């Protein structure tokens, strides 16, 4: 997997979680300051390219743990919070820029998940989505991918299996279901 934060991030909550457009906490809805340079500098890109050399058929996916803090109502990468609706389009474009930037480095992104564990708010990068918020964002994300000719698959849920029925509303909604290619599951409960 290729996570936006924190799996490739060695920081601690008080010293270094980051995204591709933190911009000092100031809003950047046009994503003028978007950059994957940290992924280049910390050798994430070169490591993924080495993996591709070993197995060119491997499939990478991205899973957002938290969008930039300026997109959220709590102004923080940690402790959940909700994405402010006025930034749904910016967040969709953030995914597009991520996919394009990685592709430019020779790394195709097969799929993204809309959000890692959308049902939780914890002391590391996280964001909480209600099912209604999730449905609204799914439409914007799917339309933004289509407008930018992005063929990367969109997976929903990416959470514990006991949350499936709540978030399945996205698949039942005819306005959102065309944009989702499936659901990702975590099996922490072992069931």
């Amino acid at each position: 997997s290729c996570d936006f934060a924190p799996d490739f991030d060695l920081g601690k909550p008080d010293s270094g979680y980051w995204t591709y457009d933190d911009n000092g906490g100031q809003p950047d809805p046009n994503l003028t300051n978007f950059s994957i340079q940290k992924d280049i500098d910390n050798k994430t890109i070169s490591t993924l390219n080495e993996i591709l050399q070993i197995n060119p058929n491997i499939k990478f996916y991205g899973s957002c743990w938290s969008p930039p803090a300026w997109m959220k109502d709590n102004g923080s990468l940690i402790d959940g919070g909700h994405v402010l609706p006025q930034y749904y389009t910016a967040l969709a474009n953030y995914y597009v820029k991520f996919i394009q930037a990685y592709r430019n480095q020779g790394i195709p992104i097969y799929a993204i998940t809309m959000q890692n564990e959308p049902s939780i708010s914890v002391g590391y990068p996280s964001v909480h989505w209600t099912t209604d918020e999730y449905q609204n964002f799914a439409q914007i994300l799917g339309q933004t991918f289509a407008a930018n000719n992005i063929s990367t698959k969109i997976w929903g849920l990416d959470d514990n299996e006991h949350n499936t029925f709540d978030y399945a509303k996205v698949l039942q909604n005819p306005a959102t279901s065309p944009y989702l290619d499936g659901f990702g599951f975590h099996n922490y409960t072992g069931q």
Side-chain angles (χ1 to χ4, degrees), residues 29 40 48 84 97:
I40 295 168
L48 295 177
L84 295 163
K97 285 183 160 291

Side-chain angles (χ1 to χ4, degrees), residues 5-162:
D7 277 7
F8 291 144
D9 182 2
L10 302 177
K12 305 249 187 281
D14 59 349
S15 67
Y17 289 131
W18 52 271
T19 72
Y20 297 136
D21 194 349
D22 292 313
N23 200 38
Q26 297 303 306
D28 183 22
N30 295 323
L31 304 174
T32 306
N33 295 296
F34 182 96
S35 174
I36 64 163
Q37 189 61 47
K38 284 188 180 183
D39 287 358
I40 295 168
D41 294 345
N42 69 17
K43 308 284 189 230
T44 299
I45 297 295
S46 61
T47 300
L48 295 177
N49 274 312
E50 287 178 29
I51 292 168
L52 276 170
Q53 288 175 4
I54 294 167
N55 181 358
N57 296 316
I58 197 158
K59 292 182 170 51
F60 295 110
Y61 75 94
S63 182
C64 185
W65 288 52
S66 178
W70 53 264
M71 291 186 185
K72 297 169 60 180
D73 64 0
N74 69 351
S76 175
L77 297 180
I78 64 171
D79 298 324
H82 295 258
V83 176
L84 295 163
Q86 68 259 34
Y87 293 127
Y88 285 5
T89 299
L91 180 56
N93 285 319
Y94 182 91
Y95 280 87
V96 167
K97 285 183 160 291
F98 162 73
I99 292 163
Q100 292 171 336
Y102 265 61
R103 183 175 51 213
N104 290 342
Q105 295 294 320
I107 301 163
I109 302 298
Y110 175 77
I112 57 94
T113 68
M114 287 178 49
Q115 173 64 44
N116 176 67
E117 299 179 339
S119 68
I120 66 167
S121 299
V122 293
Y124 51 78
S126 58
V127 65
H128 183 77
W129 291 88
T130 67
T131 55
D132 288 340
E133 291 168 340
Y134 207 66
Q135 289 182 88
N136 291 336
F137 179 61
Q139 291 175 57
I140 291 169
L141 182 61
Q143 292 164 0
T144 302
F145 273 26
N148 287 278
N149 296 314
I150 299 292
S151 60
T152 299
K153 296 185 181 307
I154 300 172
W155 294 338
L157 193 59
D158 194 8
D159 204 335
N160 296 311
E161 72 280 353
H162 64 272

